[in-house]
Every structure is written in structure tokens, then in C-alpha cells.
Amino acid sequence: MALFSRRKTHFVDSDILVIGGGMAGCGATYESRYWGRDLKIVCVEKANIERSGAVAQGLYAINCYMGMQWGENQPEDHVRYARNDLMGLVREDLGYDIARHVDSTVHKFEEWGLPIMRDPQTGRYQREGKWQIMIHGESYKPIVAEAACKAATEVYNRIMVTHLLTDAKKAGRVAGAVGFNVRTGDFYVFRAKAVIVCAGGASHIFKPRSVGEGMGRTWYAPWSSASAYALPILAGAKMMQMENRIVLTRFKDGYGPVGAYFLHLKTYTQNAYGEEYETRWFDKLRETIGDYVDHHPVPTCLRNHAFLEEVKAGRGPIRMVTKEAFQDPHKETVGWENFLGMTIGQAVVWASQNIDPKYINPELTTSEPYVMGSHATCSGAWASGPSDYAPAEYQWGYNRMMTVEGLFGAGDTIGGTAHKFSSGSFTEGRIAAKAAVNYVLDMGNDRPEASEAEYENLKKAVYQPLETYAVGRNEIVAGTVSPSYLLPIHGLQRLEKIMDEYVGGIGSGYTTNEPMLMRGIELLGMLKEDLAHIGAEDLHQLQRTWELKHRVLASESVTQHTLFRTETRWPGYYYRADHPKLDDQDWHCFTLSRYDRETDKWTMEKAPVYHIID
Ligand SMILES: Cc1cc2nc3c(=O)[nH]c(=O)nc-3n(C[C@H](O)[C@H](O)[C@H](O)COP(=O)(O)OP(=O)(O)OC[C@H]3O[C@@H](n4cnc5c(N)ncnc54)[C@H](O)[C@@H]3O)c2cc1C
């Protein structure tokens, strides 16, 4: 017990607690202050808000901007676009809600100092594609974070939130959260009236292509460790479409993004023999997924599918044809700058492998799957919709409130709203915050009560891995293998192997079936049992431990959802070999799950998809 009693506990009371200070968290913090002038608003971040989250390194484009001031696009157009890309299954009410507000967010970014490129002829923002505008975005995150810091009553950096607290007075209501400082080891109890989870998506739940020392080199941020899903799941919130993991086609080894290359530089792909290959696979694809393949633009997953089939047919590697575009000095500069302001690692990989895209067409690859709610995919929490737009069945509370009272979410956390990206995530944070402020104000003098017993028990659980290590370490004199504990890296590798082999990762060609999923669930159960004996050598490893626990829970959810949906809806993201066809008759619906932490059981259900926009 010595380790527990030494830990100092800090109590922080607030009206609104924002968990995660990435794009959505900054939006939520900023907007909470706008509507809740006198409220106490606290943002808690695992890293440092100035350079945290998926935008930490900067971005070169804002991928969601309507351009309504110039009549470029309307919100309805964006809903149609996202629906098409996700093979019909998006929450149109939530997507519309973001699209109608996203332009004002981007205008704020510009006001705060973000340099947005302009077309010299028209004076409008420089378009990269229909939805994307180009920025000088190396400092995108610090600029956005500054606005959040000015708005917050307090920002707590370097605190990893491990659990949500539940209200002792009213069942099914959230009362705050707990976590620990990853530098000092102090324990934090955040008591709040409303909580907004904005903790990003999930990488490293599937085995990555990069292994060993390169393991951190994944497309999605390695520090996005599934807290966005695990925290609500443990609190009993319903999740949606968790099977809809994303696979990205990216430049090989550095995972540099391809969007600017396709859209702005007008590069294209070809197989090893210099042939166009995508359309070659479309006839066959029509047999399993119908006319979705004829939609424009071709859904992201189907383009992945053509890539994978071409490689399987032995005509890889697939390359991006850069040699033509890079003859233009302007395009060459843009091509390099695109990485230098966002993914420097890709430029370094090319330099180290003697690849000058002016003379060599670089190879592409498909990534391992990730879980997120803001890209060309939309896994996440099941949230209540806007009162003026959502169908009755999607409205049970305040906008962006989950199925747990007082628990809100935004960005990668919330499911059903693909293609919101950085600007849409910030916007959704704002939307959630406005609703959370209303929720808090409507509460009057009532306030949730976090019980001492609950947070004291959680405190013990949070630090237990340090104790387990300290005791078990004495049983071995060298090495890392102990009879009494496993280390976080061991657990992570085991998780990634299970997900890779049984749930449709790179090792199994993104393919799975019912027997494999059942075995995966069994193995995940065993892993969970063993996690009770995890040992953490220091605070850094303690953070790794809790990240792993969050990843395991999110992985279970992905596996349960993949098992439930007996069709292949998104070929190119994953395949159910025992149900190879898209089945609109039975599965033009959302899948929902709820985890019961008392019984350790998952309950699955279907929810209708309402097409609000023609
Ligand atoms: C490689 C890459 C390239 C992209 N390119 C573009 C682009 O060009 N244009 C564009 O518009 N969008 C782009 N996006 C998408 C954009 O980055 C995301 O949509 C956006 O960051 C999602 O916002 P979020 O707040 O949900 O997550 P994030 O911005 O990732 O923020 C999550 C935050 O939560 C914190 N956190 C996590 N767990 C905890 C915990 N347990 N306790 C406390 N804090 C926690 C994290 O440290 C992080 O700060 C890209 C994303 C990636 C990964």
C-alpha cells in the first residue's frame, strides 16, 4: 500500500470538463467560454495542448471548408459527399450540423493568425480540392491552442485521464473523471457537471507495418490511444459503427499524405508496369457491392480495394506518378513543402532511400487499420442530434450528448460524421460545448456527486501496475520476462497480433470471418485477464499501461461490431469472407453496442439510417 498512500491527490471542481486538448477539445473549450461566461471551464490534456493531437506537427490543408460566402458549396453537398464515401451510412443530421457551421470556424482560425493561401486571381481561399483549402499550417495547432488557453479557466497538461466518474445520486449520469500526472505521478479528481470527451482516435490496435524501432512510424498519431472510446464505453455509453475501421493509401514507409498530390499536383497512380489499374477491378466489384462503384467520386474504400487486388494479382508495387508534375518547379516546391510542414518523416525517408520524386515515381502502400471518427470513416460514440434537424429517434437529450447523461463528445470521439477533419472536429467541439453549457445552466442548483469510495478505488487501480512491478521485479535478476507480470509493450504486441490475425489486419489481407472473430474475442478475453497482472516500471510505463487498457477495450468493441455486421460493406477497409457481399436489404443500418462493465458483456443492436437530404 505504500505506493498509493504516497501519492498526492488534487481535487479540481468545474462546470465543464474537456478531456483532450486536440482540435475538438480546443473548439469545446473556446466555445464553452463564449456561452458560459461565468462558468468554470477546465481542459485536461495528456500531452501539452500547444502541440498535441493529430495536428501536432501541423497540416498543409484544411480539409473541410464549404466556401458558402462565395457560393462554392452548401452543407447539403457535403452530406451527400460523406454519405457517398461511406457507402450510405452516415448520420446526416450530425454531418449537416457541422457543415453549416464549419466556415465560421475557419474564419476564426484566420482571424487568430493562421495563414490561409489565397488564389491571386479570385482573392478566394486557394482550393486544393472541392472541400480542401491550403494553409501554411506548421503552427496550426499552437494558434488554435492559444484561443483555447485564453478561454479556459485552467488547462492541465500532462495528465492522462483513465476513467470517468459516475454520479452517486443519479444512475447513468457522469460526475467527472480521474487521471494522473505523467510527470509527477500525482492523482487528479476532476469533479464536473458536464464532461466533453475529445480524446482523438485509435492507432496501434492493429499490428503496424513498421515494427521494432520504427514502430512509432504509423500514419495515425501513435499517441492516439483509444481513450475517446474506452472512457465512454466503460461508463456505459453506446458506440456506433466501430467496425468501420480505416485503411489509408499513403506513401510507403513515411505515410506521407497523398491528398495534395492527387488534388493539387494532379498526380495519379499506376501499377508496376505503368498501367492504369483501378477501373479494371470495378466490373467484378459490381457483383458484390452493386452500383456504389459507379458513384462519383469513387468511395475511398473501393479505391483501396482496387489497389489491394492489383497487388494480389502480382502487378505491384503501385506507384504515384510524380515525375510529370515535378517538372514544374512550382509544383515541385509544393510537393516538398507539403511534407515539410506536416510529415517531415516522409521527406527524410525519401532522402534516405535516394528517391527524388522528380526522377522516380515513389511507391505507395496501404496502412494497418485505425479507428477514428473524423476522416474517411466514422466510428465512435452514438450521440443525440441537433434539435432543429435530427429525426426524433436520434434525439434523447442535448446535442452531442451520448447515451450517458452529462457526457458529451466531439471530433474522433463521435461516430457517424465522416470527413469533418480538423476544422469539422473543432466545429463539433464548439457545437458540443454550446449544448453542454445549456445542460449545466438547466441543472440549476443540482450537481452530480462523485463518491469518495469510487475515486479512492480508482486511485488504487490506477497505480496498481507500479506496485505489481515493484514486487514482481524481485523475482528476476535480469531481462524483462517475469513470472508475475507482463509489461505494457508485451501486452501491446499481443493485442496487435490478435487484431491483425483475427480481426482483419494487414497480416490477414484485411480479411476475417465468424470463426476468426470468435477466436479473436476469446483471445482478447484472455489478454484482459492477464492485464490484471501488468507491471509498470515508472510513470511513463504507467501511461503506456493505461493506453493499452483503453486500446484493448476499443479493440473488443471493433471485434464485436465486425462480428455483428454480417456483410462486407466497405471492401478495401475489411472483408467478411463468409459474407462477401454488401447487403442493403438487412444492413443499410447502423450497428450499436453497449458494454456492461459489471457483467463484462456486450449487447448489440441495429439503428435505422435516416436519409434527410435527397
Ligand atoms: C496524419 C494525419 C493527417 C491529417 N491531415 C489532415 C489535413 O491535412 N487536413 C485536415 O483538416 N485534417 C487532417 N487530419 C485530421 C485531423 O487531424 C483530425 O480530424 C483532428 O485532429 C481530430 O480532432 P480530435 O480533437 O478528435 O483529435 P486530436 O486532435 O488528435 O486530439 C485528441 C487529444 O486528446 C488527447 N488525449 C488522448 N487521450 C487522452 C487522455 N486519456 N487524457 C487526456 N488527453 C488525452 C491527445 O493528446 C490529443 O491532444 C489528419 C489526421 C492525421 C492523423
Side-chain angles (χ1 to χ4, degrees):
M1 296 306 289
L3 276 170
F4 306 134
S5 49
R6 268 210 314 270
R7 302 272 161 214
K8 196 170 168 189
T9 301
H10 301 261
F11 293 92
V12 180
D13 290 316
S14 64
D15 294 297
I16 295 182
L17 175 68
V18 179
I19 299 176
M23 287 308 288
C26 286
T29 306
Y30 171 81
E31 195 78 5
S32 295
R33 174 60 66 220
Y34 184 86
W35 298 102
R37 291 275 146 200
D38 303 322
L39 298 186
K40 185 165 180 202
I41 295 140
V42 167
C43 177
V44 53
E45 164 59 47
K46 173 170 88 164
N48 186 312
I49 181 172
E50 194 175 322
R51 280 276 175 198
S52 71
V55 180
Q57 292 186 92
L59 296 179
Y60 207 64
I62 287 177
N63 285 351
C64 185
Y65 180 73
M66 303 298 113
M68 283 186 273
Q69 60 174 323
W70 300 304
E72 291 176 335
N73 297 292
Q74 294 305 318
E76 291 84 351
D77 302 326
H78 193 261
V79 173
R80 288 186 197 102
Y81 165 67
R83 177 174 67 198
N84 174 55
D85 200 46
L86 270 291
M87 313 287 279
L89 306 191
V90 291
R91 277 281 301 269
E92 296 186 13
D93 58 321
L94 300 182
Y96 179 84
D97 201 19
I98 293 171
R100 66 180 163 178
H101 294 300
V102 73
D103 283 10
S104 74
T105 287
V106 174
H107 301 158
K108 280 188 189 303
F109 292 163
E110 191 174 36
E111 215 179 281
W112 297 338
L114 179 71
I116 304 183
M117 297 184 205
R118 295 215 174 229
D119 181 320
Q121 252 85 53
T122 62
R124 297 178 184 178
Y125 293 151
Q126 173 75 54
R127 281 278 177 197
E128 183 184 271
K130 189 169 167 59
W131 308 105
Q132 300 81 357
I133 54 170
M134 298 178 71
I135 58 174
H136 292 288
E138 188 279 337
S139 298
Y140 189 9
K141 186 66 208 303
I143 288 168
V144 167
E146 189 184 340
C149 289
K150 284 179 176 158
T153 312
E154 283 160 354
V155 173
Y156 288 84
N157 285 316
R158 305 279 172 212
I159 293 176
M160 173 162 186
V161 172
T162 55
H163 301 84
L164 296 175
L165 289 168
T166 47
D167 185 7
K169 289 193 304 190
K170 189 174 177 194
R173 188 162 77 167
V174 76
V178 297
F180 67 98
N181 186 306
V182 302
R183 295 282 161 86
T184 65
D186 287 355
F187 189 64
Y188 279 78
V189 179
F190 295 98
R191 292 177 294 217
K193 292 182 181 171
V195 175
I196 310 177
V197 177
C198 303
S203 61
H204 279 290
I205 64 171
F206 286 86
K207 187 161 123 193
R209 287 200 186 272
S210 321
V211 290
E213 285 185 356
M215 205 173 141
R217 186 62 257 169
T218 56
W219 173 78
Y220 198 49
W223 49 83
S224 294
S225 51
S227 302
Y229 312 118
L231 294 171
I233 287 172
L234 269 175
K238 285 186 183 174
M239 292 288 123
M240 71 165 288
Q241 212 149 280
M242 292 295 281
E243 70 279 22
N244 180 217
R245 77 294 292 276
I246 189 170
V247 170
L248 287 300
T249 296
R250 289 292 179 265
F251 285 111
K252 189 163 180 296
D253 298 333
Y255 295 95
V258 294
Y261 278 67
F262 278 130
L263 297 168
H264 191 64
L265 308 183
K266 308 289 179 225
T267 60
Y268 55 94
T269 56
Q270 57 182 212
N271 70 14
Y273 303 101
E275 298 158 345
E276 189 279 333
Y277 61 89
E278 264 187 17
T279 48
R280 155 183 304 170
W281 296 102
F282 288 175
D283 277 345
K284 193 140 190 290
L285 201 48
R286 216 168 272 117
E287 290 167 20
T288 52
I289 60 144
D291 65 3
Y292 283 97
V293 70
D294 300 314
H295 290 193
H296 184 75
V298 178
T300 310
C301 61
L302 303 185
R303 299 190 67 188
N304 282 353
H305 173 80
F307 183 120
L308 295 171
E309 291 300 303
E310 189 68 9
V311 171
K312 266 195 253 168
R315 290 187 290 270
I318 304 298
R319 292 180 187 275
M320 181 76 94
V321 181
T322 50
K323 285 199 286 193
E324 293 163 15
F326 272 55
Q327 299 312 313
D328 173 345
H330 170 69
K331 287 189 174 172
E332 184 185 12
T333 307
V334 172
W336 281 106
E337 277 182 358
N338 189 245
F339 292 146
L340 296 175
M342 166 163 70
T343 318
I344 288 183
Q346 185 65 55
V348 176
V349 167
W350 280 356
S352 70
Q353 296 182 350
N354 283 348
I355 297 170
D356 181 344
K358 195 171 177 179
Y359 305 108
I360 295 174
N361 292 328
E363 272 180 61
L364 298 174
T365 191
T366 52
S367 72
E368 67 277 9
Y370 309 102
V371 178
M372 55 192 299
S374 68
H375 212 272
T377 180
C378 50
S379 304
W382 182 237
S384 190
S387 57
D388 65 333
Y389 207 70
E393 213 162 327
Y394 296 166
Q395 281 190 53
W396 53 87
Y398 295 75
N399 200 355
R400 266 44 173 212
M401 194 167 95
M402 302 182 201
T403 52
V404 169
E405 199 183 323
L407 182 58
F408 296 77
D412 279 332
T413 306
I414 295 294
T417 46
H419 291 279
K420 55 194 162 195
F421 291 100
S422 60
S423 47
S425 295
F426 187 96
T427 305
E428 196 171 41
R430 294 176 62 195
I431 293 169
K434 184 178 177 185
V437 168
N438 282 334
Y439 169 78
V440 166
L441 297 179
D442 289 349
M443 240 181 194
N445 291 330
D446 185 19
R447 69 171 302 142
E449 205 177 282
S451 88
E452 190 177 341
E454 187 183 14
Y455 58 72
E456 285 300 336
N457 282 340
L458 288 173
K459 185 176 179 184
K460 274 190 198 156
V462 165
Y463 295 108
Q464 180 61 48
L466 291 173
E467 184 89 353
T468 303
Y469 180 86
V471 174
R473 187 69 186 84
N474 298 319
E475 294 174 355
I476 53 173
V477 288
T480 55
V481 179
S482 156
S484 300
Y485 57 72
L486 77 163
L487 297 178
I489 187 68
H490 300 149
L492 182 67
Q493 285 168 345
R494 209 165 120 189
L495 170 69
E496 290 175 346
K497 183 168 154 59
I498 297 168
M499 294 300 286
D500 185 56
E501 292 175 355
Y502 295 98
V503 194
I506 46 174
S508 55
Y510 308 104
T511 304
T512 184
N513 61 25
E514 183 177 326
M516 289 170 96
L517 290 162
M518 295 302 290
R519 179 64 179 151
I521 288 170
E522 210 178 337
L523 291 170
L524 286 172
M526 292 181 203
L527 173 60
K528 266 169 63 171
E529 274 177 35
D530 289 348
L531 289 188
H533 307 286
I534 198 160
E537 186 179 357
D538 51 27
L539 289 173
H540 184 68
Q541 292 304 318
L542 190 64
Q543 179 181 350
R544 290 284 176 261
T545 300
W546 284 101
E547 289 179 342
L548 173 63
K549 290 190 185 221
H550 288 178
R551 283 181 161 117
V552 170
L553 205 53
S555 300
E556 253 194 311
S557 174
V558 170
T559 311
Q560 292 285 353
H561 277 255
T562 310
L563 178 65
F564 186 59
R565 182 179 284 283
T566 51
E567 65 159 356
T568 297
R569 165 79 35 180
W570 301 280
Y573 285 171
Y574 78 96
Y575 302 85
R576 274 290 303 255
D578 47 350
H579 297 281
K581 291 192 172 181
L582 180 146
D583 175 5
D584 261 339
Q585 181 97 21
D586 284 334
W587 289 103
H588 198 93
C589 62
F590 297 124
T591 56
L592 306 186
S593 65
R594 187 178 180 280
Y595 176 69
D596 183 340
R597 66 177 176 194
E598 302 304 328
T599 60
D600 192 28
K601 293 266 179 301
W602 294 82
T603 316
M604 304 300 304
E605 62 181 298
K606 290 181 178 180
V609 175
Y610 289 112
H611 294 301
I612 306 166
I613 284 159
D614 60 21

